[in-house]
């Protein structure tokens, strides 16, 4: 059995503008000073919001995360998949390949956004921040997704993601990594993590999957 795992932000969905606006808001509200949110988020290298908040405010990290999420989820957001994503997911789904989302977002938020973007129907599982004790780059979220999909051959599984944490999590879990370079804010960091494969467009992911036989 094989499966395809996907990261959410900057891989499936173009949520960067809304996320950066909320990050700048939370930094100003909690720390009282402006910040370049893109550079700040890039320094997190795909870690969780809580990881970033701990670095910024220490023991008060939960307040920072709460302010961020209240701002992000408390307003209308334009949630759109990247161009070419939906046809790729449709093709993989039609081929009967199980798929899951593995994200550092809370699961309710990830599920809500996938549904709003019209993509939720393609996934058998959504693994979010609140579904595991440890998080990417630890392999636990990947293992959780494989358990949900009943996928017991990691070498025939691919994880598509844009961040170093995605690539490291894949490696730590024994699955293949595909660096998604079409939406990342730090392609250099993704490549430094040494992914098994790279894709500059969603269509290239489909070509890799067929070429490498993940779906057979």
């Amino acid at each position: 059995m094989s499966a395809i795992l996907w990261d959410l932000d900057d891989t499936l969905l173009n949520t960067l503008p809304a996320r950066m606006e909320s990050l700048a808001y939370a930094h100003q509200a909690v720390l009282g000073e402006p910040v370049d949110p893109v550079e700040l988020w890039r320094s997190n290298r795909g870690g969780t919001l809580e990881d970033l908040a701990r670095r910024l405010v220490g023991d008060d990290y939960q307040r920072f995360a709460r302010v961020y999420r209240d701002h992000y989820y408390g307003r209308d957001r334009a949630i759109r998949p990247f161009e070419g994503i939906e046809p790729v997911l449709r093709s993989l789904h039609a081929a009967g390949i199980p798929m899951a989302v593995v994200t550092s977002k809370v699961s309710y938020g990830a599920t809500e956004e996938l549904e709003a973007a019209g993509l939720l129907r393609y996934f058998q599982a959504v693994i979010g921040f609140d579904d595991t004790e440890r998080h990417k780059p630890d392999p636990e979220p990947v293992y959780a997704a494989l358990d949900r999909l009943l996928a017991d051959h990691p070498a025939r599984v691919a994880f598509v993601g844009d961040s170093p944490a995605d690539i490291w999590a894949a490696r730590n879990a024994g699955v293949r990594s595909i660096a998604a370079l079409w939406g990342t804010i730090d392609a250099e960091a993704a490549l430094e993590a040494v992914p098994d494969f790279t894709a500059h467009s969603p269509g290239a992911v489909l070509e890799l999957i067929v070429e490498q036989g993940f779906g057979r």
Side-chain angles (χ1 to χ4, degrees), residues 41-104:
W41 192 255
R42 185 180 284 124
S43 73
N44 206 36
R45 299 178 71 83
T48 66
L49 174 62
E50 279 72 10
D51 290 336
L52 177 59
R54 282 189 184 93
R55 285 200 290 116
L56 292 173
V57 297
D59 292 342
D60 203 23
Y61 73 94
Q62 290 183 336
R63 175 172 169 244
F64 186 97
R66 184 175 61 253
V67 170
Y68 171 95
R69 290 192 176 109
D70 285 349
H71 185 268
Y72 183 81
Y73 292 111
R75 62 198 179 92
D76 291 335
R77 307 179 308 285
I79 305 301
R80 297 186 181 90
F82 284 101
E83 183 177 357
I85 280 290
E86 201 275 339
V88 169
L89 296 179
R90 190 189 323 125
S91 295
L92 295 172
H93 187 264
I97 300 177
M99 291 188 289
V101 170
V102 180
T103 176
S104 295

Side-chain angles (χ1 to χ4, degrees), residues 132-186:
T132 59
E133 292 186 7
R134 293 179 295 276
H135 313 290
K136 299 181 292 185
D138 190 274
E140 185 177 345
V142 176
Y143 292 148
L146 298 182
D147 285 345
R148 298 258 189 106
L149 298 179
L150 303 179
D152 54 3
H153 296 289
R156 292 171 57 195
V157 172
F159 185 6
V160 186
D162 70 288
S163 75
D166 297 321
I167 295 162
W168 293 329
R171 182 179 302 120
N172 291 335
V175 310
R176 304 293 184 89
S177 59
I178 300 176
L181 301 180
W182 59 83
T184 179
I185 60 174
D186 197 350

Side-chain angles (χ1 to χ4, degrees), residues 3-22:
I4 309 297
L5 312 180
W6 297 80
D7 179 47
L8 184 70
D9 295 314
D10 303 329
T11 299
L12 291 172
L13 302 182
N14 184 9
T15 59
L16 184 64
R19 285 163 36 230
M20 294 305 96
E21 184 178 336
S22 292

